Amino acid sequence: MMRHFGISERQARTAVRHRLAVPGAATPGEVAESVLVLHATDPATVFLAVQARSGLSPAAVEDALYEERSLLRMLAMRRTMFAVPAGFAPVVEAGATRAIAAKERASLLKLLAEAEVAPDPEAWLAEVEDSVVAALTARGEATAAELGRDEPRLRQEVEYAPGKSYGRPQAITTRVLTVLAAAGRIARGRPLGGWTSTQYRWYPTGLAGEAEAWTTADAQAELARRWLEVFGPAPVADLKWWTGWTAAEVKKALARISPAEVDLGGVTGIALPGDLEPEPAPEPWAALLPALDPTVMGWQDRSWFLGEHAPALFDRSGNAGPTVWWDGRVVGGWAQRADGEIVYRLLEDVGDDAAKAIEARAADLAAWLGPMRVTPRFRTPLERELVA
């Protein structure tokens, strides 16, 4: 018979495997491994996602990102920015980012050809790329402006969106650095400001060489396997959405790992064949998770933990805002006001014990943030109401 997974069991698996019911990871890297990768489009998400699962300080996260470099910022699934455990980065590079690099480079070459920058745009771009990497290697790390001074061709302007009212000439600096990062030759380093800043220095990385050991097919199979370890059981559609792969790519990856079909309450899902044992339910738990938290963004179908709360907690593009959790499901949202106060609203009755546990988590978060102020990059209806 097909193995049945009810909602409560899926919630229990998520709570334990994502370190929500039993937080206390020793390192930011362990936190990232428990959720596969950390969303990093909003820089604060990385820090707050670690805090919710470990209580580790912002300094510990900064060390992992910028000193130890055990977490690597990179464009990956769905062309989204993630902080990826260094040991897993070659798989992500080969299984997801390699295709992004090819598209980004082809797009840039088209712009260079249209601008008639050189008789051979491909050779010209390759020369500029090598020059930038050499300059960055000599410096150790550098800002985009510093690299532009070292390699003046980075300041070459091309027309973006020609013929459009918003089209205008722009330097290719950001496009070249994006291509180099997607190719695994450079990576984003320490920001120019605090840990919520979105402007970064860059540093050279050997990821490109490490990823060469993986074929795209092997890497996609491993990425699918690891996703099922962390987010399974789940419908195939959730894997397709999370990876951003085509249906054909998903089919090929799954054929290599032969998942078991399972019943998710009338919907067919998949799980790893050796991962079908029941997950003991943890003690009831509370958590305040940040905007774009990897648990909230792990599946396309979130009805089994989100209920009817999506309109209040997501923006129109599908970006999650800060969420309040109780015992495996989303029950509200939270925000930080200008004076530092953590405020939240429960969207359903959770009982006195749950309310007290949630209040305690809010107090913990306020103390952890201290003087830091966090505003999500993507504002959601409830978050805006709470800070109004």
Side-chain angles (χ1 to χ4, degrees), residues 73-348:
R73 291 183 185 270
M74 55 191 295
L75 278 178
M77 292 68 67
R78 309 187 311 281
R79 204 187 176 281
T80 299
M81 185 64 65
F82 293 95
V84 181
F88 190 50
V91 175
V92 174
E93 172 69 28
T97 312
R98 183 177 287 164
I100 295 171
K103 290 180 181 178
E104 290 289 331
R105 201 164 194 277
S107 176
L108 178 55
L109 284 170
K110 183 174 183 292
L111 287 172
L112 294 173
E114 291 171 349
E116 300 181 344
V117 168
D120 186 344
E122 189 160 359
W124 185 91
L125 178 57
E127 187 176 314
V128 173
E129 290 171 327
D130 289 344
S131 175
V132 170
V133 173
L136 189 55
T137 301
R139 283 181 176 270
E141 64 175 26
T143 65
E146 289 169 337
L147 291 171
R149 290 194 290 271
D150 292 343
E151 172 46 83
R153 285 175 291 185
L154 273 183
R155 302 198 297 269
Q156 170 70 48
E157 290 190 342
V158 296
E159 180 77 20
Y160 288 83
K164 303 291 185 179
S165 60
Y166 52 84
R168 65 186 187 280
Q170 286 183 305
I172 62 171
T173 309
T174 299
R175 296 292 292 267
V176 173
L177 296 179
T178 297
V179 168
L180 286 170
R185 300 183 68 183
I186 68 175
R188 298 187 187 207
R190 190 178 293 276
L192 302 185
W195 52 264
T196 59
S197 173
T198 57
Q199 294 187 336
Y200 294 89
R201 297 174 179 87
W202 298 86
Y203 66 90
T205 176
L207 179 58
E210 296 171 20
E212 288 178 359
W214 289 88
T215 66
T216 298
D218 286 344
Q220 289 184 336
E222 177 63 10
L223 190 54
R225 186 189 68 80
R226 288 284 292 117
W227 185 86
L228 280 174
E229 282 184 347
V230 172
F231 295 99
V236 172
D238 286 351
L239 172 63
K240 181 179 183 297
W241 173 82
W242 189 86
T243 57
W245 295 337
T246 65
E249 287 175 311
V250 173
K251 184 177 180 180
K252 288 178 182 178
L254 292 179
R256 295 171 69 103
I257 62 175
S258 301
E261 287 194 344
V262 298
D263 171 35
L264 303 177
V267 175
T268 300
I270 54 173
L272 293 177
D275 191 24
L276 301 176
E277 293 301 313
E279 185 81 58
E283 292 296 317
W285 55 276
L288 271 65
L289 299 186
L292 298 176
D293 185 85
T295 296
V296 185
M297 299 296 293
W299 302 267
Q300 183 179 37
D301 177 12
R302 307 177 181 100
S303 58
W304 55 280
F305 64 82
L306 184 61
E308 303 297 322
H309 304 321
L313 299 172
F314 282 71
D315 71 6
R316 293 181 179 178
S317 298
N319 298 302
T323 51
V324 176
W325 287 66
W326 173 247
D327 204 21
R329 66 186 194 278
V330 174
V331 297
W334 66 272
Q336 184 187 37
R337 289 182 173 157
D339 62 1
E341 181 186 7
I342 299 297
V343 291
Y344 60 88
R345 181 183 302 166
L346 300 180
L347 299 175
E348 57 187 78

